[in-house]
Amino acid sequence: MTATPDIVPPTEVRMAEIVFPNHTNHMGTLFGGQALAWMDKAAFLAAARYSRRAVVTARSDQVDFKLPISVGQMVETVGRIVEVGRSSMKVEVELIAEDLHTGERKLCTRGHFVMIALDENHHPTAVPALPADIAGP
């Protein structure tokens, strides 16, 4: 039997969606609530993948809607673990819109979510430290 080398937990998740008319507001752009739902889902997946635990959203911090996202555009949602506490993980989430015909991509929305890892009894539990090459100053 061979030993398995230590594996660094993945710190990023990417999702892709297409904006359909039922995702939009009266202006034909992505409804803010839909954007937040996609962002929270990416934060959840990034935190659960990193911690290998059940996680819940504790907080969403400043979400900046910089540019509108139109019906028919692809949206890439990127969630990255940027900070880790004892049981908490701060996840930066970006929404990047892409025009499927031209390939033009624009960062449209960015926000931060704090996720908490839970044990089997639904109590906060410790998560692995962020690797030194990923952790900020």
Side-chain angles (χ1 to χ4, degrees), residues 52-130:
R52 300 298 179 196
R53 294 287 192 171
V55 299
V56 293
T57 305
R59 180 174 73 237
S60 62
D61 288 335
Q62 187 171 347
V63 176
D64 296 315
F65 295 90
K66 299 172 185 289
L67 297 170
I69 302 172
S70 299
V71 68
Q73 289 186 307
M74 183 183 86
V75 176
E76 183 176 18
T77 307
V78 182
R80 288 183 201 89
I81 305 292
V82 294
E83 192 177 313
V84 172
R86 190 190 80 72
S87 63
S88 65
M89 293 154 283
K90 187 173 188 180
V91 185
E92 179 183 70
V93 182
E94 297 176 334
L95 292 183
I96 301 160
E98 180 175 331
D99 184 303
L100 291 173
H101 299 288
T102 67
E104 181 181 16
R105 293 169 54 88
K106 293 182 181 176
L107 173 63
C108 295
T109 307
R110 176 183 284 142
H112 290 89
F113 292 74
V114 176
M115 311 301 285
I116 304 295
L118 302 177
D119 65 15
E120 300 77 23
N121 297 313
H122 306 284
H123 296 113
T125 190
V127 297
L130 201 57

Side-chain angles (χ1 to χ4, degrees), residues 15 18 49 79 83:
M15 305 178 340
I18 185 79
R49 185 179 193 201
E83 192 177 313

